Amino acid sequence: MKISEKTSYEAWLRYEAVENDALRANYRLRCSVIVSAEQTKVLGTAAKELAEAVQAMTGHVPDIAAIRDRQIPCVIIGVLGRGDPEIDGTAGPDADELGSEGYVLRTLKGQQGEADCIAIVGASDRGALYGAFHLIRIMQMRDSIEDLHIVEHPVNGLRMINQWDNMDGTIERGYAGKSIFYRNNGFVEDFTRIRDYARLLASTGINAITINNVNVHREETNLITAEYEQTLSKAADAFGAYGIKLFLSINFASPIAVGGLQTADPLDPAVRSWWTERASELYRAIPEFGGFLVKADSEFRPGPFTYGRDHADGANLLAEALAPHGGVVIWRCFVYNCLQDWRDRSTDRAKAAYDHFTPLDGRFADNVILQIKNGPMDFQVREPVSPLFGGLKDTNQILELQITQEYTGQQKHVCYLVPLWKEVLDFDTYAAGEGSTVARIASGALHNRSYGGLAAVSNIGDSACWTGHPLSQANLYGYGRLAWNPALSTEQITAEWIRLSLGSDPMVEDVVSGILLRSWGIYESYTSPLGVGWMVNPNHHYGPNVDGYEYSKWGTYHFADHQGIGVDRTIGTGTGYTAQYHSPQRELYDSLERCPDELLLFYHHVPYTHVLHSGKTVIQHIYDTHFEGAEAAAALLEAWQSIRGRIDEAYFELVASRLSEQREHAKEWRDVINTYFFRKSGIADRQDRLIY
Amino acid sequence: MKISEKTSYEAWLRYEAVENDALRANYRLRCSVIVSAEQTKVLGTAAKELAEAVQAMTGHVPDIAAIRDRQIPCVIIGVLGRGDPEIDGTAGPDADELGSEGYVLRTLKGQQGEADCIAIVGASDRGALYGAFHLIRIMQMRDSIEDLHIVEHPVNGLRMINQWDNMDGTIERGYAGKSIFYRNNGFVEDFTRIRDYARLLASTGINAITINNVNVHREETNLITAEYEQTLSKAADAFGAYGIKLFLSINFASPIAVGGLQTADPLDPAVRSWWTERASELYRAIPEFGGFLVKADSEFRPGPFTYGRDHADGANLLAEALAPHGGVVIWRCFVYNCLQDWRDRSTDRAKAAYDHFTPLDGRFADNVILQIKNGPMDFQVREPVSPLFGGLKDTNQILELQITQEYTGQQKHVCYLVPLWKEVLDFDTYAAGEGSTVARIASGALHNRSYGGLAAVSNIGDSACWTGHPLSQANLYGYGRLAWNPALSTEQITAEWIRLSLGSDPMVEDVVSGILLRSWGIYESYTSPLGVGWMVNPNHHYGPNVDGYEYSKWGTYHFADHQGIGVDRTIGTGTGYTAQYHSPQRELYDSLERCPDELLLFYHHVPYTHVLHSGKTVIQHIYDTHFEGAEAAAALLEAWQSIRGRIDEAYFELVASRLSEQREHAKEWRDVINTYFFRKSGIADRQDRLIY
């Protein structure tokens, strides 16, 4: 790595020397020694991480000791319930709030001339590691570490990352270079970068990862065989040192593809025993293995439908094999007819997940978790929340988000997704009355489920800054923080990320937070309007193409004609999709008058002259947002220019070049969309701006 | 090869045993012995080909002798002017009509009890080979070989095939499998198939071939280096045995890429001497080498523009290097701005070739030949003839056609191109008054040029039937025949191909000729209307996508809005493209009233309500042709079904499956195009048919 790339590579684990002498001396004093009585792998990581951070920020190399010298200030790292009365005593009544992964971070006042110390008390090794990263974060933020009393635990049990990496080194929907895991149909030799990735993830609280694409191709199908046991074990160790469990995406047809069986029928005894045997082998090699992620009967992937079985049969087959080892099956609900006829307006892809999975509620084994995308379609810049979240009570479920910016600018445009995710998490399904938010369903709290959490598709690759666009790091960071606690505010997460990554200059924080917080709205404004989605070039999904998917088999249509646009999903005259929501959401969306503007075209087909709540017609809204959006994109670059010299130069230039590309590409979006609708509707822009 | 694939592999060189006993006996008698006094490679090929054909059709294995036994009927093969008085005498006054590649095929009556014999007298070895294939063709057609007196010579000096094969084994715009030349960045080991291809080509009169893609990538750049001399020599031999000269497509930047120079500037002395040296080396290894084909300053290929030079500078550089060896430079005129802004309506890609090359008329060296695509755009199903054909007088030029069906159904749809090519060849440019046809310009006759001819992009690959769609063989055959003589009628060529390939059953001929002759019109009817072009999916160009290129950088737009469609290329209000034609074509195209319907939208932007000469409005024409076209496509399959059992079963099934796919895909075209225009115009179909 070149020195100039160091800042963006470090991301939010950037440890600059503390500028203020008194504060630096205080940090140095308080962290003179790190005491860790136990010698587990994860506690070792915690001590080492803290020591490295202290050294970088203060210049002092803390000793790591097993026994405390009570005359010297120190940081004690320990785990509850392992026989150390001081550790257990530190937590005290807080212990009840820690769950299995929480921690207490607390200053213990020295008695009778002894030195004060800071205790990091985890409910588990992993909890202690999170506590250590918390202490580091406080120092990165230049906050005080005197008189600490912090009690934290993650709201979600599963905080997962999905890598869509292929073993040939490519990444499906990857916009940040090649895979850091694979090359030439094998693992990379050097795991340094994998370990550095584990650090970044663990520092935000991530505790699970799948390391291969949900579309499991030929070579990847072999990952569950003996051939890869040794390398997988090495990968599991790299992540395990940071408290992250390794999962694999598997091919449902594995019994045929690698097992030599004639069938993959989930009810076939030979298939069942094959999976059982395979799971046992995997756990023998990797005792900490997490389980399987499965995309089945989806976009040409094999699944139980082939054998006349349903998804519960399929998932329970794998659950049975994993259960003896404590493993779980994560089963994706992204199932729909991807060979739809565009002429057929009765089939509605948005309805598919609900229709497939609600009838199966209660039939899944205890260690099966359904993974549900945030929207009913596919990670559009704007779509409603999937009604499946209100449709399951007796089933474990987690929320799937997409950090990689497939439909949101592909890390060439800045599009900060935390505000979008917050809207999803805060959405009230009314499944069990008011307050039945997606956050509470996903965490498992609402229905008191044994498993819950979040999963998200990673946005990293071997790009020098991990994410191609440095500002896209904020999405990865923000995802981890929200997975930890969905109640965190966007503003807090944004401020944290900026200060950790770019320092504490208030002007930098002001400018960068302004860019981030406006970015989703800006991207939406110059792309697909009013929730209708798509309008992108097929396959790669970059750049405008209004009819790109209009005559395709993918079920993603806008139905624009010379009079109007939108999809009628109402109960009375449309596809009936709105009926999948509980009241009052159902009635809200079903009503042409009350439907929120930003989702109008998702739910209703309206004339271009339809007047929005904003007071504008649909066509004028399209023109205005696209002209304004392109201007706003240009203003992002101008804003960024104002902090030149205040941050690392290489970082600055990298972002500037991306913002410059965004500015130009936003004009292309503006002109293609406006021209398309002007040519189609014949309705002139009221402001008489140039439309081609 | 499986037996069932034999028929389609043999293509038009299919030698079935003669069914009629008397005729078979007559062929056998007349071809008892083949006498070839000379032992050149090409004459050896002629004798061997004839012997094999006779054996297959009659069961008799003719002797090949050097000296004639005057008691026995025979076929004599010889070349004029090599000292054999009988050969020279046979030609007699016909000799004046033979040029350098013609032949006389004549029955010599035996004198005084001697046997009759058939003399094949070539103006050259190659002429004799063509004569032998002609005699074979007569027997394949089951015509009489008594009292022959045929005098033939090719109208065009250069009758060329361009392979767009890449050394990785792919073929650009190939729809018939992988390359027969290359695999894994090298040549194939087994040249059997290359030799068989040479036979097929030579039998139609092809005398030149480039064996690598005009887009010369990294590995292909090395073809002109010593590394490939040995293999190229082997390839040149394989083609040379059939009288076909080998050419290479070259990379204009070769002096940099393989020569290690800092520049490829055509006026740089080091560059000139590098090319001179390279050419000498090539000719030392391959004395019969033909020369270079060059795509320069076109679609991102390097060229002289980089150095502030023009195309004459670039072409003359290579001409200078090749001239001492008798080689030629073929320089493509497919030069245009492929980074156009779709918002810019003043730039017109159709004008580019004319604008680039007419100012250079007279500046090209004698051994430079410009290769000009038939239309000003790019091998659309319908476009006008390139005005460049009327714009050059003092420059050698050849016509480039595309046999591979890039925009004409990709060998999944049947689209017989001979009628299209005939229209191009017969087009009168009026460059030197009436009768200045493209055929006469391309042959060199009109301006009395030293070089002329036709080149065409091949449609073959390693598909078992060569062309993916067996009926696409007719395009390859037809091209060869038209290159030989553009005056041949479509009907004659069609009848020949059917009888040679599928036998002499009149019903088969009737049905298959009906399919072929209607196919171009049918394909046009359900695809892009009225000459406007494109409306295909980007990149691969298969299937409908009306706006597929509408907002692209490629200069291929239709400008459809809610009122109308088409490109105004008139002098008064448009791009002025029509001014590139001579009168009266200029005025014809420029006139909205007189412009032929089938090219209306190429030249004019009109409302959908504009009434065509046909009496229909543009919109009704679109609806009607698309409904009728899809029906006609379905009728092709029905027609084909009627000859089941009358031809080879495997051949029948292969065509039937393609016609079935065409039928379905034609419906997709119909519905996408009609829906697009209905949605955009809001004008209902007068017949109230289903539009989605």
Side-chain angles (χ1 to χ4, degrees):
Chain A
M1 197 179 343
K2 287 176 288 182
I3 296 295
S4 64
E5 292 168 349
K6 184 166 168 285
T7 302
S8 59
Y9 184 84
E10 291 172 335
W12 55 85
L13 294 183
R14 183 164 163 253
Y15 304 145
E16 297 289 297
V18 176
E19 307 77 9
N20 181 295
D21 291 340
L23 189 64
R24 187 172 67 248
N26 174 263
Y27 288 176
R28 174 190 290 220
L29 175 73
R30 288 288 163 229
C31 303
S32 299
V33 176
I34 296 164
V35 179
S36 175
E38 274 193 290
Q39 300 298 326
T40 71
K41 191 168 63 175
V42 173
L43 290 179
T45 302
K48 184 178 69 65
E49 286 290 335
L50 182 56
E52 286 174 6
V54 168
Q55 177 180 0
M57 287 191 270
T58 71
H60 164 70
V61 184
D63 279 339
I64 299 179
I67 298 170
R68 178 177 173 194
D69 176 341
R70 293 191 168 268
Q71 305 310 309
I72 302 176
C74 67
V75 180
I76 309 173
I77 303 178
V79 177
L80 274 183
R82 302 226 176 125
D84 183 329
E86 184 164 38
I87 292 293
D88 292 348
T90 298
D94 295 335
D96 297 340
E97 294 177 36
L98 301 188
S100 62
E101 297 180 290
Y103 55 88
V104 177
L105 186 59
R106 185 167 185 178
T107 301
L108 303 182
K109 290 290 175 189
Q111 314 254 317
Q112 300 152 346
E114 291 178 358
D116 290 359
C117 77
I118 297 170
I120 301 173
V121 178
S124 57
D125 286 20
R126 197 185 274 153
L129 176 64
Y130 299 145
F133 275 121
H134 194 148
L135 180 59
I136 293 170
R137 185 162 71 237
I138 294 171
M139 291 189 281
Q140 283 179 281
M141 305 277 280
R142 307 300 189 246
D143 287 333
S144 165
I145 59 172
E146 296 295 318
D147 301 319
L148 295 171
H149 188 174
I150 295 166
V151 183
E152 276 277 347
H153 73 276
V155 173
N156 291 293
L158 204 57
R159 303 177 300 281
M160 187 172 217
I161 285 286
N162 294 167
Q163 297 296 133
W164 282 1
D165 296 38
N166 300 313
M167 294 188 75
D168 64 2
T170 62
I171 303 173
E172 184 161 328
R173 310 306 175 191
Y175 312 106
K178 295 282 187 179
S179 173
I180 66 166
F181 293 89
Y182 311 109
R183 189 91 358 160
N184 302 324
N185 283 312
F187 276 83
V188 296
E189 297 264 311
D190 180 356
F191 272 39
T192 306
R193 188 131 194 191
I194 294 173
R195 193 200 65 100
D196 287 350
Y197 185 43
R199 285 182 71 225
L200 285 172
L201 295 179
S203 73
T204 72
I206 297 299
N207 67 356
I209 188 168
T210 52
I211 59 169
N212 65 305
N213 189 357
V214 289
N215 290 315
V216 181
H217 306 297
R218 182 194 300 253
E219 188 59 35
E220 293 81 358
T221 297
N222 296 326
L223 278 172
I224 59 168
T225 68
E227 179 186 352
Y228 284 106
E229 276 177 3
Q230 207 167 0
T231 323
L232 279 181
S233 173
K234 184 178 159 195
D237 282 349
F239 285 105
Y242 284 89
I244 299 170
K245 277 205 178 197
L246 190 76
F247 288 68
L248 290 175
S249 299
I250 61 98
N251 176 349
F252 193 81
S254 294
I256 301 168
V258 304
L261 302 187
Q262 297 298 308
T263 179
D265 182 351
L267 301 194
D268 184 288
V271 171
R272 291 171 61 186
S273 68
W274 187 84
W275 279 111
T276 298
E277 171 64 20
R278 199 76 309 278
S280 298
E281 287 288 328
L282 269 172
Y283 276 92
R284 201 154 39 130
I286 312 158
E288 292 298 310
F289 185 67
F292 297 147
L293 173 63
V294 193
K295 177 176 182 176
D297 287 318
S298 166
E299 295 180 338
F300 313 111
R301 306 311 307 162
F305 287 175
T306 306
Y307 308 99
R309 314 303 182 190
D310 62 28
H311 287 285
D313 297 325
N316 292 344
L317 160 77
L318 302 171
E320 174 188 58
L322 294 169
H325 315 283
V328 299
V329 177
I330 303 175
W331 191 269
R332 292 176 90 235
C333 296
F334 187 52
V335 177
Y336 66 97
N337 175 10
C338 60
L339 290 173
Q340 188 174 335
D341 189 331
W342 59 268
R343 302 166 187 83
D344 164 25
R345 292 209 190 187
S346 65
T347 302
D348 184 357
R349 168 169 163 178
K351 294 170 72 177
Y354 184 98
D355 286 345
H356 276 293
F357 286 93
T358 53
L360 304 176
D361 191 24
R363 283 206 33 227
F364 291 96
D366 289 343
N367 62 330
V368 171
I369 304 167
L370 297 190
Q371 181 166 312
I372 304 169
K373 290 192 180 189
N374 62 278
M377 299 297 278
D378 190 15
F379 300 134
Q380 297 303 290
V381 70
R382 173 77 67 177
E383 57 178 305
V385 168
S386 172
L388 185 52
F389 281 111
L392 299 168
K393 285 190 169 132
D394 298 320
T395 304
N396 300 316
Q397 49 198 299
I398 59 175
L399 166 66
E400 177 177 334
L401 303 172
Q402 195 185 42
I403 312 173
T404 193
Q405 293 169 235
E406 177 177 359
Y407 293 98
T408 51
Q410 302 199 352
Q411 285 139 254
K412 289 176 176 170
H413 298 233
V414 57
C415 189
Y416 183 49
L417 296 168
V418 168
L420 187 166
W421 298 332
K422 285 287 288 182
E423 279 196 15
V424 171
L425 289 160
D426 292 345
F427 179 80
D428 196 340
T429 69
Y430 292 89
E434 196 170 347
S436 303
T437 62
V438 169
R440 292 183 65 214
I441 294 171
S443 73
L446 186 71
H447 301 304
N448 197 24
R449 302 297 315 170
S450 47
Y451 291 99
L454 270 64
V457 185
S458 173
N459 64 346
I460 70 109
D462 70 356
S463 129
C465 74
W466 296 97
T467 52
H469 198 316
L471 298 186
S472 295
Q473 292 179 357
N475 288 325
L476 185 58
Y477 180 82
Y479 166 72
R481 297 289 285 140
L482 281 181
W484 180 274
N485 182 6
L488 290 177
S489 73
T490 297
E491 290 66 29
Q492 178 182 338
I493 294 170
T494 310
E496 276 180 16
W497 179 79
I498 296 170
R499 293 173 71 180
L500 298 178
S501 306
L502 294 167
S504 305
D505 181 335
M507 180 166 166
V508 169
E509 184 172 332
D510 189 48
V511 167
V512 177
S513 68
I515 289 172
L516 291 176
L517 296 174
R518 278 177 290 148
S519 62
W520 173 38
I522 290 172
Y523 189 80
E524 181 181 17
S525 70
Y526 58 75
T527 57
S528 166
L530 296 165
V532 76
W534 274 271
M535 302 195 172
V536 292
N537 283 302
N539 305 320
H540 59 70
H541 300 164
Y542 191 68
N545 188 336
V546 181
D547 278 356
Y549 277 97
E550 191 60 14
Y551 302 96
S552 76
K553 297 183 182 297
W554 297 94
T556 56
Y557 315 117
H558 55 64
F559 301 125
D561 61 19
H562 69 295
Q563 293 175 307
I565 180 173
V567 186
D568 185 351
R569 291 190 161 103
T570 62
I571 297 168
T573 57
T575 67
Y577 165 79
T578 51
Q580 295 185 344
Y581 290 96
H582 296 278
S583 295
Q585 305 287 23
R586 175 191 302 194
E587 292 76 13
L588 178 72
Y589 293 141
D590 206 56
S591 161
L592 175 60
E593 290 70 36
R594 294 170 53 222
C595 182
D597 282 353
E598 71 269 19
L599 287 170
L600 181 71
L601 301 183
F602 189 90
Y603 286 110
H604 299 276
H605 186 92
V606 301
Y608 295 117
T609 52
H610 175 86
V611 178
L612 299 168
H613 297 129
S614 69
K616 290 181 180 178
T617 61
V618 166
I619 190 74
Q620 195 57 42
H621 172 92
I622 292 173
Y623 296 152
D624 287 352
T625 52
H626 285 77
F627 281 113
E628 289 157 14
E631 276 177 38
L636 292 177
L637 176 59
E638 281 174 46
W640 183 257
Q641 300 284 9
S642 71
I643 59 165
R644 181 191 291 275
R646 290 174 176 271
I647 65 167
D648 177 87
E649 182 66 14
Y651 196 111
F652 176 87
E653 291 296 346
L654 189 52
V655 173
S657 77
R658 299 259 162 171
L659 288 172
S660 172
E661 179 170 349
Q662 178 175 1
R663 179 185 60 186
E664 296 310 306
H665 201 235
K667 290 185 208 162
E668 184 72 9
W669 269 100
R670 173 195 69 193
D671 291 339
V672 170
I673 300 270
N674 282 344
T675 298
Y676 178 95
F677 285 105
F678 175 61
R679 288 189 186 176
K680 201 149 199 166
S681 70
I683 300 172
D685 171 37
R686 289 191 169 197
Q687 296 189 47
D688 205 23
R689 289 162 291 197
L690 182 58
I691 299 179
Y692 297 88
Chain B
M1 197 179 344
K2 288 176 287 185
I3 295 294
S4 64
E5 292 169 347
K6 185 165 167 286
T7 302
S8 60
Y9 184 83
E10 291 172 334
W12 55 84
L13 294 182
R14 184 163 163 255
Y15 305 145
E16 296 291 297
V18 176
E19 307 76 11
N20 180 296
D21 291 341
L23 189 63
R24 188 173 66 250
N26 174 262
Y27 288 176
R28 174 191 289 221
L29 176 72
R30 288 288 162 229
C31 303
S32 299
V33 176
I34 297 164
V35 179
S36 176
E38 274 193 290
Q39 301 298 326
T40 70
K41 192 168 61 175
V42 173
L43 289 179
T45 301
K48 186 178 69 68
E49 285 290 334
L50 182 57
E52 286 174 6
V54 168
Q55 178 181 359
M57 286 191 269
T58 71
H60 165 70
V61 184
D63 280 339
I64 299 179
I67 298 171
R68 176 177 173 195
D69 177 341
R70 294 192 166 267
Q71 306 309 312
I72 303 174
C74 68
V75 179
I76 310 172
I77 304 177
V79 177
L80 274 183
R82 301 225 177 127
D84 183 329
E86 185 163 37
I87 293 292
D88 292 351
T90 299
D94 295 337
D96 297 341
E97 294 176 35
L98 301 188
S100 63
E101 296 181 292
Y103 56 87
V104 178
L105 187 59
R106 185 167 183 177
T107 300
L108 303 181
K109 288 292 173 188
Q111 316 254 316
Q112 301 150 344
E114 291 176 358
D116 290 0
C117 79
I118 296 170
I120 300 172
V121 178
S124 58
D125 286 20
R126 197 184 273 153
L129 176 65
Y130 298 145
F133 274 122
H134 194 147
L135 180 60
I136 293 170
R137 186 161 72 235
I138 293 171
M139 291 188 283
Q140 284 179 281
M141 304 278 280
R142 306 301 190 246
D143 288 332
S144 167
I145 59 171
E146 296 296 318
D147 300 320
L148 296 170
H149 187 174
I150 294 165
V151 183
E152 277 276 349
H153 73 276
V155 172
N156 291 294
L158 205 57
R159 304 177 300 282
M160 189 171 214
I161 286 286
N162 294 167
Q163 297 296 134
W164 283 0
D165 296 39
N166 300 313
M167 293 187 74
D168 64 3
T170 61
I171 304 174
E172 184 162 329
R173 309 308 176 190
Y175 312 106
K178 295 282 188 179
S179 173
I180 65 166
F181 293 89
Y182 311 109
R183 189 91 358 160
N184 301 324
N185 283 311
F187 277 82
V188 297
E189 297 263 311
D190 181 355
F191 271 40
T192 307
R193 189 131 193 192
I194 294 173
R195 193 200 65 101
D196 287 349
Y197 185 41
R199 285 182 70 224
L200 285 171
L201 295 179
S203 73
T204 72
I206 296 299
N207 67 356
I209 189 168
T210 53
I211 59 169
N212 64 307
N213 188 358
V214 289
N215 290 316
V216 181
H217 307 296
R218 181 195 302 252
E219 188 59 33
E220 293 81 356
T221 297
N222 296 326
L223 279 172
I224 58 168
T225 67
E227 179 185 354
Y228 282 108
E229 276 177 2
Q230 208 169 355
T231 322
L232 279 182
S233 172
K234 185 178 158 194
D237 282 347
F239 284 106
Y242 284 89
I244 298 170
K245 278 204 178 197
L246 190 77
F247 288 66
L248 290 174
S249 298
I250 60 99
N251 176 350
F252 193 80
S254 294
I256 301 168
V258 303
L261 302 187
Q262 297 298 308
T263 179
D265 181 350
L267 302 193
D268 185 287
V271 171
R272 290 170 63 185
S273 68
W274 186 85
W275 278 112
T276 298
E277 171 63 21
R278 201 75 310 278
S280 298
E281 288 288 328
L282 269 172
Y283 275 92
R284 201 155 40 127
I286 313 158
E288 291 299 308
F289 185 66
F292 297 147
L293 174 63
V294 193
K295 177 176 182 176
D297 287 317
S298 166
E299 295 179 338
F300 313 111
R301 306 312 305 163
F305 288 175
T306 306
Y307 308 99
R309 315 303 181 188
D310 63 27
H311 286 286
D313 297 327
N316 292 344
L317 160 77
L318 303 171
E320 174 188 58
L322 294 169
H325 314 284
V328 299
V329 177
I330 303 175
W331 191 270
R332 293 176 88 235
C333 296
F334 187 53
V335 177
Y336 66 98
N337 175 10
C338 60
L339 290 173
Q340 189 173 333
D341 189 330
W342 59 268
R343 303 165 186 82
D344 162 26
R345 292 209 190 189
S346 64
T347 302
D348 183 357
R349 168 169 163 176
K351 294 169 72 177
Y354 184 99
D355 285 347
H356 276 294
F357 286 93
T358 54
L360 304 176
D361 191 26
R363 283 209 29 230
F364 291 96
D366 289 343
N367 61 331
V368 171
I369 304 167
L370 298 189
Q371 180 166 312
I372 305 169
K373 289 193 181 189
N374 62 278
M377 299 297 278
D378 191 16
F379 299 135
Q380 298 303 290
V381 69
R382 174 76 66 177
E383 59 178 304
V385 168
S386 172
L388 185 52
F389 281 112
L392 299 169
K393 285 190 168 132
D394 299 321
T395 304
N396 300 315
Q397 48 196 300
I398 60 175
L399 167 65
E400 178 176 333
L401 302 171
Q402 196 186 41
I403 312 173
T404 193
Q405 292 168 234
E406 179 177 0
Y407 293 99
T408 52
Q410 303 200 352
Q411 286 138 255
K412 289 176 176 169
H413 298 233
V414 57
C415 189
Y416 184 49
L417 296 169
V418 167
L420 187 165
W421 296 333
K422 285 289 289 183
E423 280 196 15
V424 171
L425 290 160
D426 292 344
F427 179 79
D428 197 340
T429 68
Y430 292 88
E434 195 169 347
S436 302
T437 62
V438 169
R440 292 184 65 214
I441 294 171
S443 72
L446 186 71
H447 301 305
N448 197 26
R449 302 298 314 169
S450 46
Y451 291 100
L454 270 65
V457 185
S458 175
N459 65 347
I460 71 109
D462 70 357
S463 129
C465 74
W466 296 97
T467 52
H469 198 315
L471 298 185
S472 295
Q473 291 179 356
N475 288 326
L476 185 58
Y477 180 82
Y479 167 70
R481 298 290 285 139
L482 281 180
W484 180 273
N485 182 7
L488 289 177
S489 73
T490 297
E491 290 66 29
Q492 179 183 338
I493 294 170
T494 311
E496 276 180 15
W497 178 78
I498 296 170
R499 292 173 71 182
L500 298 178
S501 306
L502 294 167
S504 305
D505 182 333
M507 181 167 164
V508 170
E509 185 171 333
D510 188 48
V511 166
V512 177
S513 68
I515 289 172
L516 291 177
L517 296 174
R518 278 177 292 150
S519 62
W520 174 38
I522 290 172
Y523 190 80
E524 181 181 17
S525 71
Y526 58 74
T527 57
S528 167
L530 297 166
V532 77
W534 274 272
M535 301 194 173
V536 292
N537 284 302
N539 304 320
H540 60 69
H541 300 163
Y542 191 69
N545 188 335
V546 180
D547 278 356
Y549 278 96
E550 192 59 14
Y551 302 97
S552 76
K553 296 183 182 297
W554 297 94
T556 57
Y557 315 117
H558 54 64
F559 301 124
D561 63 18
H562 70 295
Q563 293 175 306
I565 180 173
V567 187
D568 185 351
R569 291 191 161 102
T570 62
I571 297 168
T573 57
T575 67
Y577 165 78
T578 52
Q580 294 185 343
Y581 290 97
H582 296 277
S583 295
Q585 305 287 23
R586 174 190 303 193
E587 291 77 14
L588 178 73
Y589 292 141
D590 208 56
S591 161
L592 176 60
E593 291 70 36
R594 293 170 53 220
C595 182
D597 281 354
E598 71 268 18
L599 287 170
L600 181 70
L601 301 183
F602 190 90
Y603 287 109
H604 300 276
H605 187 91
V606 300
Y608 295 117
T609 52
H610 175 86
V611 178
L612 299 168
H613 297 131
S614 69
K616 291 180 180 178
T617 60
V618 166
I619 191 75
Q620 195 57 41
H621 171 91
I622 291 173
Y623 295 152
D624 287 351
T625 51
H626 285 77
F627 281 113
E628 289 158 12
E631 276 177 37
L636 292 176
L637 176 58
E638 281 174 46
W640 182 258
Q641 300 284 10
S642 72
I643 59 166
R644 182 192 290 275
R646 290 175 175 270
I647 65 166
D648 178 85
E649 183 65 14
Y651 195 111
F652 175 87
E653 291 296 346
L654 189 51
V655 173
S657 76
R658 298 259 162 172
L659 288 173
S660 173
E661 179 170 350
Q662 178 175 0
R663 180 185 58 186
E664 296 310 307
H665 201 235
K667 289 184 209 163
E668 184 73 7
W669 270 101
R670 173 195 68 194
D671 291 338
V672 171
I673 299 269
N674 282 344
T675 299
Y676 179 96
F677 286 104
F678 175 61
R679 288 189 186 175
K680 201 149 200 167
S681 70
I683 301 173
D685 171 36
R686 291 192 167 195
Q687 296 189 44
D688 205 24
R689 289 162 291 198
L690 182 57
I691 299 179
Y692 297 89

